[in-house]
Amino acid sequence: MQVFLSALSDAALDTLKVLPILYLAYLLVAYFSHSKSGKFTRFLNKSKKAGPLAGAFLGCVPQCGFSSVMSDLYSRRAVTLGTLIAVFIATSDEALPILIANPNFIVDLLILIGLKIVFAVAFGYLVDVTISLFARRKKKEESEPILAEELEHGHDHCACHGHGDHKGHCSEKNIFLDALHHTVNIALYIFFATLIINIIVEAVGMDALTSWFGGNVYIQILLAGLIGLIPNCASSVFLVELYINGGIAFSAMFAGLCVGAGVGLIILFTKNIGKKKILENISIISLLYIFGIASGMLVSLFY
């Protein structure tokens, strides 16, 4: 019971901390979505090329609010896969606040942010360029943002795609309620996913997880990447604390934080639903892990 109560408390706190970022992000999406002047259509079309760049900077915002929002938008094809990958790689969840709280690691913090942006942009564009080179014209047309397509046909459905209450959530005057609706919906996923993971971490214990790491930096990188796949802020906290205490190298922490997209991974599986989509989600996570490990290996060569 004590383990459950502790996990419940941590899950509630983690969810509350991410709510402001989630709401602001969805408010921005709702603003563009409810515009009848075609702003959202133009925004999506222009952002396809600038998507990975914008995603890299959005992902740097502490906590995993933007990774969750981008997973939701990707499920509706409002952003490209490269943009999603860029946001995932740039996301550091709770790592930034912890490093900021430790003045001795400010240089490491700046290097971490800078390298994350570089790798996020590089891998994001690599994915988008590769898809554009090998995809057929028909496939490219099918991958056009659903939201933009609906606006072009005069349907102001946008950010409320998948919700039947058009008047209740899609009124241009109710963008605040629309953003709140989506925020609460995603927050519920975050809470229950965090609760389950916290129970597992509480039961297993951090000491047991720490014992996995050895002195070999390459093994550390591979294991840190696996820890990063845990869709919870506990993984980023664990990796940073381990680095601060000398348990792993900077490159291992970096690899784990590049893989760690927080609860954005949970949102991807809960929103991007379908038989083929499951394989797609697994492929995205595999790709994220490969990019994270590659980033860590490259960083280990000079830092």
Side-chain angles (χ1 to χ4, degrees), residues 86-153:
V87 172
F88 279 177
I89 292 176
T91 297
S92 299
D93 214 344
E94 296 292 335
L96 301 188
I98 294 176
L99 289 174
I100 290 174
N102 289 269
N104 293 334
F105 292 92
I106 293 299
V107 174
D108 299 79
L109 171 64
L110 297 176
I111 294 175
L112 174 71
I113 295 175
L115 288 176
K116 265 179 162 285
I117 291 175
V118 170
F119 282 113
V121 171
F123 286 127
Y125 278 113
L126 176 63
V127 169
D128 278 353
V129 170
T130 301
I131 290 176
S132 66
L133 287 176
F134 292 96
R136 297 179 180 178
R137 179 65 182 177
K138 181 178 179 180
K139 186 176 180 180
K140 291 173 65 177
E141 291 176 353
E142 291 175 349
S143 67
E144 286 293 322
I146 295 175
L147 308 183
E149 200 171 283
E150 290 175 344
L151 276 177
E152 289 172 355
H153 287 82

Short mmCIF file of all heavy atoms in Angstrom, two decimals, residues 86-153:
data_model
loop_
_atom_site.label_atom_id
_atom_site.label_comp_id
_atom_site.label_asym_id
_atom_site.label_seq_id
_atom_site.Cartn_x
_atom_site.Cartn_y
_atom_site.Cartn_z
N ALA A 86 12.51 14.84 -34.44
CA ALA A 86 13.29 15.98 -33.94
C ALA A 86 12.83 16.38 -32.53
O ALA A 86 13.65 16.64 -31.65
CB ALA A 86 13.16 17.17 -34.89
N VAL A 87 11.52 16.42 -32.34
CA VAL A 87 10.98 16.77 -31.01
C VAL A 87 11.37 15.71 -29.99
O VAL A 87 11.79 16.04 -28.87
CB VAL A 87 9.44 16.90 -31.07
CG1 VAL A 87 8.88 17.07 -29.66
CG2 VAL A 87 9.04 18.08 -31.92
N PHE A 88 11.25 14.45 -30.36
CA PHE A 88 11.60 13.36 -29.45
C PHE A 88 13.06 13.45 -29.03
O PHE A 88 13.40 13.32 -27.84
CB PHE A 88 11.34 12.00 -30.11
CG PHE A 88 9.90 11.58 -30.07
CD1 PHE A 88 9.49 10.39 -30.67
CD2 PHE A 88 8.94 12.34 -29.42
CE1 PHE A 88 8.16 9.97 -30.62
CE2 PHE A 88 7.60 11.95 -29.38
CZ PHE A 88 7.22 10.76 -29.97
N ILE A 89 13.96 13.64 -29.98
CA ILE A 89 15.40 13.70 -29.68
C ILE A 89 15.73 14.90 -28.80
O ILE A 89 16.56 14.82 -27.89
CB ILE A 89 16.22 13.73 -30.98
CG1 ILE A 89 16.11 12.40 -31.73
CG2 ILE A 89 17.70 14.04 -30.69
CD1 ILE A 89 16.81 12.38 -33.07
N ALA A 90 15.08 16.03 -29.07
CA ALA A 90 15.38 17.26 -28.32
C ALA A 90 14.78 17.26 -26.92
O ALA A 90 15.24 18.00 -26.05
CB ALA A 90 14.87 18.47 -29.10
N THR A 91 13.77 16.41 -26.69
CA THR A 91 13.11 16.38 -25.38
C THR A 91 14.06 15.84 -24.30
O THR A 91 14.71 14.82 -24.50
CB THR A 91 11.85 15.49 -25.43
OG1 THR A 91 10.92 16.08 -26.35
CG2 THR A 91 11.20 15.40 -24.07
N SER A 92 14.10 16.54 -23.17
CA SER A 92 14.95 16.11 -22.05
C SER A 92 14.16 15.93 -20.77
O SER A 92 14.74 15.60 -19.73
CB SER A 92 16.08 17.13 -21.82
OG SER A 92 16.91 17.24 -22.96
N ASP A 93 12.87 16.19 -20.81
CA ASP A 93 11.98 16.01 -19.67
C ASP A 93 12.50 16.76 -18.45
O ASP A 93 12.68 17.97 -18.50
CB ASP A 93 11.79 14.53 -19.38
CG ASP A 93 10.39 14.22 -18.85
OD1 ASP A 93 9.70 15.15 -18.43
OD2 ASP A 93 9.98 13.05 -18.87
N GLU A 94 12.80 16.05 -17.35
CA GLU A 94 13.22 16.70 -16.10
C GLU A 94 14.73 16.93 -16.01
O GLU A 94 15.22 17.43 -15.00
CB GLU A 94 12.76 15.86 -14.90
CG GLU A 94 11.27 15.74 -14.75
CD GLU A 94 10.62 17.07 -14.36
OE1 GLU A 94 11.30 17.92 -13.77
OE2 GLU A 94 9.42 17.25 -14.67
N ALA A 95 15.46 16.56 -17.04
CA ALA A 95 16.92 16.66 -16.99
C ALA A 95 17.40 18.10 -16.86
O ALA A 95 18.32 18.40 -16.09
CB ALA A 95 17.53 16.02 -18.24
N LEU A 96 16.78 18.99 -17.61
CA LEU A 96 17.21 20.39 -17.61
C LEU A 96 17.06 21.07 -16.25
O LEU A 96 18.00 21.71 -15.75
CB LEU A 96 16.47 21.18 -18.69
CG LEU A 96 16.65 20.67 -20.14
CD1 LEU A 96 16.03 21.65 -21.12
CD2 LEU A 96 18.12 20.47 -20.47
N PRO A 97 15.88 20.95 -15.59
CA PRO A 97 15.74 21.56 -14.26
C PRO A 97 16.76 21.04 -13.25
O PRO A 97 17.27 21.80 -12.42
CB PRO A 97 14.31 21.19 -13.85
CG PRO A 97 13.60 21.01 -15.14
CD PRO A 97 14.61 20.40 -16.06
N ILE A 98 17.08 19.75 -13.33
CA ILE A 98 18.04 19.16 -12.39
C ILE A 98 19.43 19.73 -12.63
O ILE A 98 20.15 20.09 -11.67
CB ILE A 98 18.06 17.63 -12.51
CG1 ILE A 98 16.72 17.05 -12.06
CG2 ILE A 98 19.19 17.04 -11.67
CD1 ILE A 98 16.61 15.55 -12.25
N LEU A 99 19.84 19.83 -13.88
CA LEU A 99 21.17 20.37 -14.19
C LEU A 99 21.25 21.86 -13.86
O LEU A 99 22.29 22.35 -13.42
CB LEU A 99 21.50 20.14 -15.67
CG LEU A 99 21.78 18.68 -16.06
CD1 LEU A 99 21.94 18.56 -17.57
CD2 LEU A 99 23.04 18.18 -15.37
N ILE A 100 20.15 22.58 -14.07
CA ILE A 100 20.12 24.01 -13.73
C ILE A 100 20.29 24.19 -12.22
O ILE A 100 20.93 25.14 -11.77
CB ILE A 100 18.77 24.64 -14.18
CG1 ILE A 100 18.72 24.71 -15.71
CG2 ILE A 100 18.62 26.05 -13.60
CD1 ILE A 100 17.40 25.17 -16.26
N ALA A 101 19.74 23.26 -11.47
CA ALA A 101 19.84 23.33 -10.01
C ALA A 101 21.23 22.98 -9.49
O ALA A 101 21.51 23.15 -8.30
CB ALA A 101 18.80 22.41 -9.37
N ASN A 102 22.09 22.51 -10.38
CA ASN A 102 23.47 22.17 -10.01
C ASN A 102 24.43 23.07 -10.78
O ASN A 102 24.82 22.73 -11.92
CB ASN A 102 23.76 20.70 -10.30
CG ASN A 102 23.05 19.76 -9.37
OD1 ASN A 102 23.56 19.37 -8.32
ND2 ASN A 102 21.83 19.37 -9.74
N PRO A 103 24.84 24.20 -10.22
CA PRO A 103 25.69 25.19 -10.91
C PRO A 103 26.97 24.61 -11.49
O PRO A 103 27.47 25.11 -12.50
CB PRO A 103 26.00 26.22 -9.81
CG PRO A 103 24.86 26.09 -8.84
CD PRO A 103 24.51 24.63 -8.85
N ASN A 104 27.51 23.57 -10.87
CA ASN A 104 28.76 22.98 -11.36
C ASN A 104 28.60 22.31 -12.71
O ASN A 104 29.60 21.98 -13.37
CB ASN A 104 29.29 21.96 -10.35
CG ASN A 104 29.72 22.61 -9.05
OD1 ASN A 104 30.10 23.79 -9.02
ND2 ASN A 104 29.69 21.85 -7.96
N PHE A 105 27.35 22.09 -13.12
CA PHE A 105 27.10 21.38 -14.37
C PHE A 105 26.45 22.28 -15.42
O PHE A 105 25.83 21.77 -16.37
CB PHE A 105 26.22 20.15 -14.10
CG PHE A 105 26.88 19.08 -13.29
CD1 PHE A 105 26.77 19.07 -11.91
CD2 PHE A 105 27.65 18.11 -13.91
CE1 PHE A 105 27.38 18.08 -11.16
CE2 PHE A 105 28.28 17.12 -13.16
CZ PHE A 105 28.15 17.11 -11.78
N ILE A 106 26.59 23.58 -15.27
CA ILE A 106 26.01 24.52 -16.24
C ILE A 106 26.63 24.34 -17.62
O ILE A 106 25.92 24.37 -18.65
CB ILE A 106 26.18 25.97 -15.76
CG1 ILE A 106 25.34 26.22 -14.51
CG2 ILE A 106 25.78 26.95 -16.86
CD1 ILE A 106 23.86 26.02 -14.70
N VAL A 107 27.93 24.14 -17.67
CA VAL A 107 28.61 23.92 -18.96
C VAL A 107 28.07 22.66 -19.62
O VAL A 107 27.80 22.64 -20.83
CB VAL A 107 30.14 23.82 -18.77
CG1 VAL A 107 30.80 23.44 -20.10
CG2 VAL A 107 30.71 25.13 -18.26
N ASP A 108 27.91 21.61 -18.83
CA ASP A 108 27.35 20.37 -19.36
C ASP A 108 25.94 20.59 -19.88
O ASP A 108 25.54 20.02 -20.90
CB ASP A 108 27.33 19.30 -18.26
CG ASP A 108 28.70 18.98 -17.73
OD1 ASP A 108 29.21 19.77 -16.90
OD2 ASP A 108 29.29 17.96 -18.13
N LEU A 109 25.17 21.42 -19.18
CA LEU A 109 23.81 21.74 -19.60
C LEU A 109 23.80 22.41 -20.96
O LEU A 109 23.02 22.04 -21.85
CB LEU A 109 23.14 22.64 -18.56
CG LEU A 109 21.79 23.24 -18.94
CD1 LEU A 109 20.74 22.16 -19.12
CD2 LEU A 109 21.33 24.25 -17.89
N LEU A 110 24.66 23.41 -21.14
CA LEU A 110 24.72 24.13 -22.41
C LEU A 110 25.16 23.22 -23.55
O LEU A 110 24.61 23.29 -24.67
CB LEU A 110 25.67 25.32 -22.28
CG LEU A 110 25.25 26.40 -21.27
CD1 LEU A 110 26.33 27.48 -21.17
CD2 LEU A 110 23.92 27.01 -21.67
N ILE A 111 26.14 22.37 -23.28
CA ILE A 111 26.60 21.41 -24.29
C ILE A 111 25.48 20.44 -24.64
O ILE A 111 25.26 20.12 -25.81
CB ILE A 111 27.84 20.65 -23.80
CG1 ILE A 111 29.03 21.61 -23.65
CG2 ILE A 111 28.20 19.51 -24.76
CD1 ILE A 111 30.27 20.98 -23.05
N LEU A 112 24.76 19.98 -23.61
CA LEU A 112 23.66 19.05 -23.82
C LEU A 112 22.59 19.65 -24.72
O LEU A 112 22.17 19.02 -25.71
CB LEU A 112 23.04 18.69 -22.46
CG LEU A 112 21.77 17.81 -22.51
CD1 LEU A 112 22.12 16.39 -22.93
CD2 LEU A 112 21.08 17.80 -21.15
N ILE A 113 22.17 20.87 -24.43
CA ILE A 113 21.13 21.53 -25.22
C ILE A 113 21.60 21.76 -26.65
O ILE A 113 20.88 21.48 -27.61
CB ILE A 113 20.71 22.86 -24.57
CG1 ILE A 113 20.04 22.61 -23.22
CG2 ILE A 113 19.75 23.62 -25.49
CD1 ILE A 113 19.71 23.87 -22.45
N GLY A 114 22.82 22.27 -26.78
CA GLY A 114 23.36 22.56 -28.11
C GLY A 114 23.45 21.32 -28.98
O GLY A 114 23.03 21.33 -30.15
N LEU A 115 24.00 20.24 -28.41
CA LEU A 115 24.15 19.00 -29.18
C LEU A 115 22.80 18.37 -29.49
O LEU A 115 22.60 17.81 -30.57
CB LEU A 115 25.02 18.01 -28.41
CG LEU A 115 26.51 18.34 -28.33
CD1 LEU A 115 27.25 17.32 -27.46
CD2 LEU A 115 27.13 18.37 -29.73
N LYS A 116 21.87 18.48 -28.56
CA LYS A 116 20.53 17.93 -28.80
C LYS A 116 19.86 18.62 -29.99
O LYS A 116 19.22 17.97 -30.83
CB LYS A 116 19.67 18.06 -27.55
CG LYS A 116 19.66 16.82 -26.67
CD LYS A 116 18.79 17.06 -25.46
CE LYS A 116 18.41 15.74 -24.81
NZ LYS A 116 17.39 15.00 -25.55
N ILE A 117 19.99 19.93 -30.05
CA ILE A 117 19.40 20.68 -31.17
C ILE A 117 20.05 20.26 -32.48
O ILE A 117 19.36 20.02 -33.49
CB ILE A 117 19.56 22.20 -30.95
CG1 ILE A 117 18.68 22.66 -29.77
CG2 ILE A 117 19.19 22.96 -32.22
CD1 ILE A 117 18.87 24.11 -29.41
N VAL A 118 21.38 20.13 -32.48
CA VAL A 118 22.10 19.75 -33.70
C VAL A 118 21.66 18.37 -34.19
O VAL A 118 21.33 18.19 -35.37
CB VAL A 118 23.62 19.76 -33.45
CG1 VAL A 118 24.37 19.13 -34.63
CG2 VAL A 118 24.12 21.17 -33.22
N PHE A 119 21.66 17.39 -33.29
CA PHE A 119 21.28 16.03 -33.68
C PHE A 119 19.79 15.95 -34.03
O PHE A 119 19.41 15.20 -34.95
CB PHE A 119 21.61 15.05 -32.56
CG PHE A 119 23.07 14.69 -32.49
CD1 PHE A 119 23.85 15.08 -31.42
CD2 PHE A 119 23.66 13.95 -33.51
CE1 PHE A 119 25.20 14.76 -31.35
CE2 PHE A 119 25.00 13.61 -33.46
CZ PHE A 119 25.78 14.02 -32.37
N ALA A 120 18.95 16.68 -33.32
CA ALA A 120 17.52 16.66 -33.61
C ALA A 120 17.23 17.19 -35.01
O ALA A 120 16.45 16.59 -35.77
CB ALA A 120 16.77 17.49 -32.56
N VAL A 121 17.86 18.29 -35.36
CA VAL A 121 17.68 18.88 -36.69
C VAL A 121 18.23 17.94 -37.76
O VAL A 121 17.57 17.69 -38.79
CB VAL A 121 18.37 20.26 -36.78
CG1 VAL A 121 18.36 20.77 -38.22
CG2 VAL A 121 17.69 21.27 -35.86
N ALA A 122 19.42 17.41 -37.53
CA ALA A 122 20.07 16.55 -38.52
C ALA A 122 19.26 15.28 -38.79
O ALA A 122 18.96 14.95 -39.94
CB ALA A 122 21.48 16.18 -38.04
N PHE A 123 18.87 14.58 -37.74
CA PHE A 123 18.12 13.33 -37.91
C PHE A 123 16.70 13.60 -38.38
O PHE A 123 16.13 12.80 -39.14
CB PHE A 123 18.11 12.54 -36.61
CG PHE A 123 19.43 11.89 -36.29
CD1 PHE A 123 20.05 12.08 -35.06
CD2 PHE A 123 20.06 11.08 -37.22
CE1 PHE A 123 21.27 11.48 -34.76
CE2 PHE A 123 21.28 10.47 -36.94
CZ PHE A 123 21.89 10.68 -35.71
N GLY A 124 16.11 14.71 -37.96
CA GLY A 124 14.78 15.06 -38.40
C GLY A 124 14.71 15.27 -39.90
O GLY A 124 13.84 14.73 -40.59
N TYR A 125 15.66 16.06 -40.41
CA TYR A 125 15.69 16.30 -41.86
C TYR A 125 16.11 15.05 -42.62
O TYR A 125 15.65 14.82 -43.75
CB TYR A 125 16.64 17.45 -42.18
CG TYR A 125 15.98 18.81 -42.00
CD1 TYR A 125 16.40 19.69 -41.01
CD2 TYR A 125 14.93 19.20 -42.81
CE1 TYR A 125 15.80 20.92 -40.83
CE2 TYR A 125 14.31 20.43 -42.65
CZ TYR A 125 14.75 21.29 -41.66
OH TYR A 125 14.13 22.50 -41.49
N LEU A 126 16.97 14.23 -42.02
CA LEU A 126 17.37 12.98 -42.67
C LEU A 126 16.16 12.09 -42.92
O LEU A 126 16.00 11.52 -44.01
CB LEU A 126 18.39 12.23 -41.79
CG LEU A 126 18.83 10.85 -42.29
CD1 LEU A 126 19.54 10.97 -43.63
CD2 LEU A 126 19.72 10.17 -41.26
N VAL A 127 15.29 12.01 -41.92
CA VAL A 127 14.07 11.20 -42.06
C VAL A 127 13.15 11.78 -43.13
O VAL A 127 12.66 11.05 -44.00
CB VAL A 127 13.33 11.12 -40.70
CG1 VAL A 127 11.94 10.51 -40.89
CG2 VAL A 127 14.13 10.30 -39.71
N ASP A 128 12.90 13.09 -43.07
CA ASP A 128 11.99 13.70 -44.04
C ASP A 128 12.51 13.63 -45.47
O ASP A 128 11.76 13.35 -46.41
CB ASP A 128 11.73 15.16 -43.65
CG ASP A 128 10.66 15.30 -42.58
OD1 ASP A 128 10.03 14.28 -42.24
OD2 ASP A 128 10.46 16.42 -42.07
N VAL A 129 13.81 13.87 -45.64
CA VAL A 129 14.40 13.81 -46.98
C VAL A 129 14.36 12.39 -47.52
O VAL A 129 14.05 12.17 -48.69
CB VAL A 129 15.86 14.33 -46.94
CG1 VAL A 129 16.56 14.04 -48.27
CG2 VAL A 129 15.89 15.82 -46.67
N THR A 130 14.66 11.43 -46.67
CA THR A 130 14.63 10.02 -47.10
C THR A 130 13.22 9.61 -47.54
O THR A 130 13.05 8.96 -48.57
CB THR A 130 15.09 9.10 -45.95
OG1 THR A 130 16.42 9.46 -45.55
CG2 THR A 130 15.07 7.64 -46.39
N ILE A 131 12.23 10.01 -46.76
CA ILE A 131 10.84 9.68 -47.10
C ILE A 131 10.45 10.33 -48.43
O ILE A 131 9.81 9.71 -49.28
CB ILE A 131 9.89 10.13 -45.98
CG1 ILE A 131 10.08 9.25 -44.74
CG2 ILE A 131 8.43 10.06 -46.45
CD1 ILE A 131 9.24 9.68 -43.55
N SER A 132 10.83 11.60 -48.60
CA SER A 132 10.47 12.31 -49.83
C SER A 132 11.16 11.74 -51.06
O SER A 132 10.62 11.79 -52.17
CB SER A 132 10.81 13.80 -49.69
OG SER A 132 12.21 13.98 -49.60
N LEU A 133 12.34 11.15 -50.87
CA LEU A 133 13.08 10.59 -52.00
C LEU A 133 12.52 9.24 -52.44
O LEU A 133 12.51 8.94 -53.63
CB LEU A 133 14.56 10.44 -51.64
CG LEU A 133 15.40 11.72 -51.56
CD1 LEU A 133 16.82 11.41 -51.09
CD2 LEU A 133 15.44 12.42 -52.91
N PHE A 134 12.08 8.44 -51.51
CA PHE A 134 11.67 7.08 -51.82
C PHE A 134 10.15 6.87 -51.85
O PHE A 134 9.68 5.83 -52.28
CB PHE A 134 12.30 6.11 -50.81
CG PHE A 134 13.79 5.99 -50.95
CD1 PHE A 134 14.64 6.74 -50.15
CD2 PHE A 134 14.36 5.14 -51.89
CE1 PHE A 134 16.02 6.64 -50.28
CE2 PHE A 134 15.73 5.04 -52.03
CZ PHE A 134 16.56 5.79 -51.22
N ALA A 135 9.40 7.83 -51.36
CA ALA A 135 7.94 7.67 -51.37
C ALA A 135 7.39 8.00 -52.75
O ALA A 135 7.85 8.90 -53.43
CB ALA A 135 7.31 8.57 -50.32
N ARG A 136 6.37 7.29 -53.15
CA ARG A 136 5.71 7.58 -54.42
C ARG A 136 4.81 8.80 -54.26
O ARG A 136 4.47 9.21 -53.16
CB ARG A 136 4.86 6.38 -54.86
CG ARG A 136 5.67 5.13 -55.14
CD ARG A 136 4.77 3.99 -55.54
NE ARG A 136 5.54 2.78 -55.80
CZ ARG A 136 5.02 1.62 -56.14
NH1 ARG A 136 3.70 1.50 -56.26
NH2 ARG A 136 5.79 0.57 -56.37
N ARG A 137 4.42 9.33 -55.41
CA ARG A 137 3.58 10.52 -55.40
C ARG A 137 2.27 10.27 -54.65
O ARG A 137 1.81 11.12 -53.86
CB ARG A 137 3.27 10.95 -56.84
CG ARG A 137 2.39 12.19 -56.95
CD ARG A 137 3.09 13.39 -56.38
NE ARG A 137 2.25 14.57 -56.43
CZ ARG A 137 2.60 15.75 -55.95
NH1 ARG A 137 3.78 15.90 -55.38
NH2 ARG A 137 1.79 16.79 -56.04
N LYS A 138 1.68 9.11 -54.85
CA LYS A 138 0.42 8.80 -54.19
C LYS A 138 0.58 8.75 -52.69
O LYS A 138 -0.27 9.26 -51.93
CB LYS A 138 -0.10 7.46 -54.70
CG LYS A 138 -1.43 7.06 -54.09
CD LYS A 138 -1.91 5.73 -54.67
CE LYS A 138 -3.23 5.33 -54.04
NZ LYS A 138 -3.73 4.02 -54.58
N LYS A 139 1.68 8.17 -52.26
CA LYS A 139 1.94 8.07 -50.83
C LYS A 139 2.15 9.45 -50.22
O LYS A 139 1.74 9.74 -49.10
CB LYS A 139 3.17 7.19 -50.58
CG LYS A 139 3.44 6.92 -49.11
CD LYS A 139 4.61 5.98 -48.95
CE LYS A 139 4.87 5.70 -47.48
NZ LYS A 139 6.02 4.77 -47.28
N LYS A 140 2.82 10.33 -50.98
CA LYS A 140 3.06 11.68 -50.50
C LYS A 140 1.75 12.44 -50.35
O LYS A 140 1.57 13.22 -49.41
CB LYS A 140 3.99 12.41 -51.45
CG LYS A 140 5.42 11.88 -51.45
CD LYS A 140 6.27 12.50 -52.52
CE LYS A 140 6.47 13.98 -52.27
NZ LYS A 140 7.35 14.59 -53.28
N GLU A 141 0.81 12.21 -51.30
CA GLU A 141 -0.47 12.89 -51.22
C GLU A 141 -1.28 12.37 -50.02
O GLU A 141 -1.97 13.14 -49.35
CB GLU A 141 -1.26 12.67 -52.52
CG GLU A 141 -0.64 13.41 -53.71
CD GLU A 141 -1.38 13.10 -55.00
OE1 GLU A 141 -2.27 12.21 -54.97
OE2 GLU A 141 -1.07 13.72 -56.02
N GLU A 142 -1.18 11.07 -49.75
CA GLU A 142 -1.90 10.50 -48.63
C GLU A 142 -1.36 10.99 -47.29
O GLU A 142 -2.08 11.04 -46.29
CB GLU A 142 -1.82 8.97 -48.67
CG GLU A 142 -2.59 8.36 -49.80
CD GLU A 142 -2.40 6.86 -49.87
OE1 GLU A 142 -1.50 6.35 -49.17
OE2 GLU A 142 -3.15 6.21 -50.62
N SER A 143 -0.09 11.40 -47.29
CA SER A 143 0.54 11.84 -46.04
C SER A 143 0.35 13.33 -45.78
O SER A 143 0.86 13.86 -44.82
CB SER A 143 2.04 11.52 -46.05
OG SER A 143 2.70 12.30 -47.03
N GLU A 144 -0.41 14.01 -46.68
CA GLU A 144 -0.69 15.42 -46.45
C GLU A 144 -1.48 15.57 -45.16
O GLU A 144 -2.31 14.74 -44.84
CB GLU A 144 -1.52 16.01 -47.61
CG GLU A 144 -0.71 16.23 -48.87
CD GLU A 144 0.32 17.32 -48.70
OE1 GLU A 144 0.00 18.31 -48.01
OE2 GLU A 144 1.43 17.16 -49.22
N PRO A 145 -1.24 16.62 -44.39
CA PRO A 145 -1.93 16.81 -43.11
C PRO A 145 -3.45 16.75 -43.25
O PRO A 145 -4.04 17.45 -44.07
CB PRO A 145 -1.48 18.20 -42.66
CG PRO A 145 -0.18 18.40 -43.35
CD PRO A 145 -0.30 17.70 -44.67
N ILE A 146 -4.08 15.90 -42.49
CA ILE A 146 -5.53 15.74 -42.53
C ILE A 146 -6.24 17.05 -42.16
O ILE A 146 -7.22 17.43 -42.77
CB ILE A 146 -5.96 14.63 -41.55
CG1 ILE A 146 -5.40 13.30 -42.03
CG2 ILE A 146 -7.47 14.55 -41.43
CD1 ILE A 146 -5.67 12.16 -41.08
N LEU A 147 -5.64 17.73 -41.21
CA LEU A 147 -6.28 18.96 -40.74
C LEU A 147 -6.31 20.02 -41.83
O LEU A 147 -7.30 20.70 -42.03
CB LEU A 147 -5.54 19.49 -39.51
CG LEU A 147 -5.32 18.47 -38.40
CD1 LEU A 147 -4.64 19.14 -37.22
CD2 LEU A 147 -6.65 17.90 -37.95
N ALA A 148 -5.20 20.16 -42.54
CA ALA A 148 -5.13 21.16 -43.60
C ALA A 148 -6.10 20.81 -44.72
O ALA A 148 -6.74 21.67 -45.30
CB ALA A 148 -3.70 21.23 -44.14
N GLU A 149 -6.21 19.52 -44.99
CA GLU A 149 -7.09 19.05 -46.05
C GLU A 149 -8.54 19.41 -45.74
O GLU A 149 -9.31 19.83 -46.59
CB GLU A 149 -6.93 17.53 -46.17
CG GLU A 149 -7.41 16.99 -47.50
CD GLU A 149 -7.04 15.52 -47.65
OE1 GLU A 149 -5.87 15.24 -47.91
OE2 GLU A 149 -7.95 14.68 -47.46
N GLU A 150 -8.92 19.26 -44.47
CA GLU A 150 -10.29 19.54 -44.08
C GLU A 150 -10.60 21.04 -44.17
O GLU A 150 -11.69 21.44 -44.55
CB GLU A 150 -10.54 19.04 -42.66
CG GLU A 150 -10.56 17.51 -42.60
CD GLU A 150 -10.68 17.01 -41.17
OE1 GLU A 150 -10.44 17.82 -40.25
OE2 GLU A 150 -11.00 15.84 -40.99
N LEU A 151 -9.62 21.85 -43.83
CA LEU A 151 -9.82 23.29 -43.91
C LEU A 151 -10.02 23.73 -45.36
O LEU A 151 -10.83 24.60 -45.67
CB LEU A 151 -8.62 24.03 -43.30
CG LEU A 151 -8.65 24.21 -41.78
CD1 LEU A 151 -7.37 24.87 -41.32
CD2 LEU A 151 -9.84 25.04 -41.37
N GLU A 152 -9.26 23.10 -46.26
CA GLU A 152 -9.37 23.46 -47.67
C GLU A 152 -10.75 23.12 -48.21
O GLU A 152 -11.24 23.72 -49.16
CB GLU A 152 -8.30 22.70 -48.47
CG GLU A 152 -6.89 23.23 -48.19
CD GLU A 152 -5.82 22.35 -48.83
OE1 GLU A 152 -6.19 21.31 -49.40
OE2 GLU A 152 -4.65 22.72 -48.77
N HIS A 153 -11.41 22.14 -47.60
CA HIS A 153 -12.76 21.76 -48.04
C HIS A 153 -13.84 22.47 -47.24
O HIS A 153 -15.01 22.12 -47.31
CB HIS A 153 -12.94 20.24 -47.92
CG HIS A 153 -12.20 19.48 -48.96
ND1 HIS A 153 -10.84 19.18 -48.84
CD2 HIS A 153 -12.61 18.96 -50.15
CE1 HIS A 153 -10.47 18.51 -49.90
NE2 HIS A 153 -11.50 18.36 -50.71
#
